[in-house]
Amino acid sequence: MNQLNIPPVLVTGATGRIGRLVIDRLLDAGVPVRALVHRPEAASALPPQVEVFTGDITVPESLDPALKDAGAAFLVWTAPPQTAASVVERLAAHVRRVVFLSSPHRTPHPFFQQPNPMATLHAGIERLIAAAGLESTIIRPGMLASNSSPWWAPTIRAGETVRWPYGAAETAPVDDRDVAAVAALALHRDEHVGGDYVLTGPESLTHAAQVDVIGDALGRRIAFEEMTPDEFRSLSEGTAPGPVIDMLLAAWSAAVGQPAYISTTVADVLGTAPRTFHQWATDHASEFTQGS
């Protein structure tokens, strides 16, 4: 495919879990890619064919060089909301299409209906995108499979018992690679304009069952022990904002005894079955082994 005939796609959050995978999928499809990074040294891990721009969504004017002559943008928002309107205004002035990594805050399931400051932020940005008249696709992943690595890998590597609250809470972890594949298609295929995609894995699993699955992938049993919400809140102090911890605890509490919401969107969009949590754990087993 001749890349000269395809406008480049700007990927924000380019070195993050999803953005980095979106870059790979776009390159596989022959789409030229621009990456927005906070610091030039962060680009060292990106493929050499990626055009790198230094910028920050909290400084909207810094995006202008990266947006010049671009055709679409993948928008990931992890900053405070103050500059969102200005960033969306700049996107509308330069690109035709935006794919926004949001959350399933509209999904009628107790897990997704707890007070959530991030969901409030996402909803506001969605309204800005709609008002700007951009072609858009909203990507709404549920719980990411990769969350289990920062949550449990240090304990599992140390050979200790995984202690976690609400062991019976059920989620349907979605593989980051499936999320990225859907986002990449939406960035360069016209049939996904206007899509509002809730993405989940194919199975409802409790926290305790997810730890068992990781143990299966490693070929050993991993002990699991229930932790109280207060213990979790105390141990999490300083690692995440208090409202985020409160939101997680409320969501997990609401998910106990409730089979997770499962969508068919990954299969519908990609034409292939979504990866299972066991596939994810097997492919990322090295993250849970000693010395990794």
Side-chain angles (χ1 to χ4, degrees):
M1 184 179 295
N2 182 3
Q3 292 191 351
L4 294 177
N5 296 327
I6 305 173
V9 170
L10 175 64
V11 176
T12 70
T15 58
R17 285 185 285 175
I18 303 299
R20 180 65 185 80
L21 294 170
V22 169
I23 287 174
D24 288 340
R25 293 306 298 253
L26 288 170
L27 292 175
D28 288 345
V31 177
V33 177
R34 293 176 176 175
L36 190 75
V37 299
H38 292 290
R39 301 176 307 278
E41 59 269 23
S44 61
L46 297 175
Q49 59 268 54
V50 173
E51 190 177 7
V52 176
F53 291 81
T54 302
D56 192 321
I57 57 174
T58 65
V59 186
E61 60 271 20
S62 70
L63 275 64
D64 290 346
L67 287 169
K68 182 177 173 57
D69 299 323
F74 181 59
L75 182 61
V76 179
W77 199 281
T78 57
Q82 285 82 353
T83 59
S86 182
V87 167
V88 171
E89 182 181 342
R90 280 179 151 75
L91 292 175
H94 289 281
V95 303
R96 184 165 56 98
R97 179 176 305 170
V98 169
V99 174
F100 177 46
L101 186 68
S102 187
S103 52
H105 56 83
R106 296 179 176 176
T107 303
H109 185 281
F111 181 78
F112 299 117
Q113 294 303 310
Q114 307 312 307
N116 185 342
M118 185 58 71
T120 301
L121 171 65
H122 287 160
I125 295 173
E126 289 170 30
R127 288 192 292 270
L128 291 171
I129 291 171
L134 284 154
E135 293 182 359
S136 66
T137 307
I138 309 300
I139 305 293
R140 304 183 188 277
M143 193 62 73
L144 293 172
S146 60
N147 285 337
S148 61
S149 183
W151 286 350
W152 302 325
T155 300
I156 293 172
R157 286 198 297 267
E160 299 172 356
T161 297
V162 171
R163 301 185 69 248
W164 204 251
Y166 297 111
E170 299 190 39
T171 60
V174 60
D175 195 300
D176 303 49
R177 293 169 293 186
D178 289 335
V179 177
V182 171
L185 281 181
L187 284 161
H188 72 93
R189 296 271 291 270
D190 291 343
E191 63 264 33
H192 300 293
V193 172
D196 192 312
Y197 295 148
V198 177
L199 308 179
T200 74
E203 54 196 340
S204 179
L205 295 168
T206 66
H207 282 152
Q210 291 171 40
V211 172
D212 285 342
V213 168
I214 294 170
D216 289 343
L218 299 180
R220 62 182 176 87
R221 181 180 179 278
I222 300 169
F224 183 93
E225 182 178 293
E226 189 84 11
M227 175 191 290
T228 69
D230 285 343
E231 285 180 285
F232 180 78
R233 189 176 282 108
S234 177
L235 290 171
S236 301
E237 190 172 347
T239 64
V244 173
I245 299 301
D246 292 340
M247 177 273 294
L248 284 172
L249 289 169
W252 291 332
S253 175
V256 172
Q258 294 272 356
Y261 179 85
I262 295 175
S263 77
T264 62
T265 308
V266 170
D268 294 342
V269 173
L270 301 182
T272 56
R275 293 173 174 90
T276 65
F277 186 67
H278 190 275
Q279 286 177 278
W280 180 90
T282 299
D283 293 343
H284 294 81
S286 63
E287 297 178 20
F288 297 90
T289 56
Q290 290 183 346
S292 63

